[in-house]
Amino acid sequence: MEGRGIMQSNSTDRQYLDLVKDILENGYYDQNRTGTATKKLCGKFFQFDLQKEFPILTTKQVFFNTAIKEIQWIYVQGSNNVVDLQKQNVKIWNEWMKEDGTIGKAYGYQARHWGGHIDQVQNLINTLKTNPQSRRMIVSLWNVADLPDMALEPCAFMTMWDVMGDTLNMTLIQRSGDMGLGIPFNMTQYAALQHMVAHTTGFKAGQFTHYIHNAHIYENHFEAMKKQLERTPFEPTAKIWLNPEVKDFNNFTPNDVKLLDYKYHPHISMEVSV
């Protein structure tokens, strides 16, 4: 299989498990809108060099293909239609689906149809190609005017992009991070997004910074997270592969982004809090 293969050095599990341990030992315990209590810490972040590692956990299985389908649903398709995911056998948005089959004016709608007509993703790509030293390369899904029309306000809601030489860096801002279920998906899929954008704009994917404002563990996930902490991470072998034939970001499909040589411990089941 031809394409871009990026080898890793494993800091992913270390950074993730260090934060999980910190939350379990030092987190603030309280209730929240879901009715399931959490322990939380505020203002935490991960940082990865995507030329040295692809951030995906080895201490449990992360379903990479599902993560890619979701991130492409948002940023490539610009969709808010849950049926589009269901057709790909992805059910992670079923709990938030409204009667019209959508999640309202959330996620993909804001990425590519802000105000009904502004394509933030295409604007980003155009700027990277024409003015890569711009300090205004931001994609925001947090449209205050449309919040009442969203089934769920976006958790990972902003990306900021920066170019240094031939390298594209990105920062993800996340207001709320479910450490058990959401964060393993988010770190992996946004790293893949960074690779996809870099691949189609002539850059290498560089530094990925993932900031989490409210990093929390749900009470019904405590035992599962403790089990994960007992596992020894595998030496990283996984590489991301992008189809070299794809030149336009808008033409990416799930088959164009693959994970090779991924070694992992078994999946750990956890219940989603809605």
Side-chain angles (χ1 to χ4, degrees), residues 80 118 139 207:
N80 62 348
I118 297 174
V139 176
Q207 181 174 279

Side-chain angles (χ1 to χ4, degrees), residues 20-203:
V20 167
K21 185 173 185 289
D22 194 10
I23 295 171
L24 288 174
E25 292 180 352
N26 304 304
Y28 174 77
Y29 180 84
D30 208 348
Q31 288 289 338
N32 58 87
R33 65 161 187 85
T34 69
T36 304
T38 66
K39 282 189 173 182
K40 70 172 183 179
L41 290 174
C42 181
K44 300 298 179 178
F45 70 93
F46 306 129
Q47 200 159 62
F48 310 100
D49 181 348
L50 298 188
Q51 287 301 300
K52 294 181 178 179
E53 62 184 310
F54 183 76
I56 188 164
L57 296 175
T58 68
T59 45
K60 74 170 184 179
Q61 183 183 13
V62 177
F63 295 106
F64 179 80
N65 291 339
T66 300
I68 292 303
K69 289 174 182 177
E70 184 192 24
I71 204 71
Q72 290 188 0
W73 176 65
I74 297 169
Y75 289 94
V76 178
Q77 300 172 42
S79 177
N80 62 348
N81 191 333
V82 180
V83 177
D84 292 340
L85 284 177
Q86 292 174 341
K87 290 177 180 177
Q88 301 179 76
N89 198 32
V90 175
K91 304 173 183 178
I92 55 180
W93 279 99
N94 286 4
E95 287 87 354
W96 290 276
M97 184 171 66
K98 302 173 75 171
E99 290 184 1
D100 63 358
T102 77
I103 55 170
K105 295 180 178 180
Y107 284 94
Y109 180 91
Q110 300 298 336
R112 309 216 61 160
H113 310 282
W114 179 289
H117 65 281
I118 297 174
D119 188 338
Q120 295 190 79
V121 174
Q122 192 60 53
N123 288 347
L124 167 66
I125 291 168
N126 293 344
T127 304
L128 284 168
K129 290 180 176 180
T130 61
N131 185 22
Q133 287 306 310
S134 172
R135 293 175 291 195
R136 301 172 181 176
M137 293 187 289
I138 297 172
V139 176
S140 174
L141 310 183
W142 195 264
N143 186 337
V144 175
D146 286 343
L147 292 180
D149 296 319
M150 299 181 186
L152 178 67
E153 295 88 345
C155 297
F157 72 91
M158 179 182 289
T159 55
M160 299 186 291
W161 305 76
D162 182 81
V163 170
M164 298 175 65
D166 63 352
T167 300
L168 177 62
N169 305 310
M170 189 264 282
T171 297
L172 169 65
I173 307 295
Q174 186 157 355
R175 66 171 178 85
S176 174
D178 172 357
M179 293 297 297
L181 292 175
I183 293 299
F185 251 54
N186 298 143
M187 66 165 65
T188 291
Q189 63 189 173
Y190 274 88
L193 175 67
Q194 186 173 342
H195 274 288
M196 291 162 59
V197 173
H199 178 79
T200 51
T201 54
F203 297 102

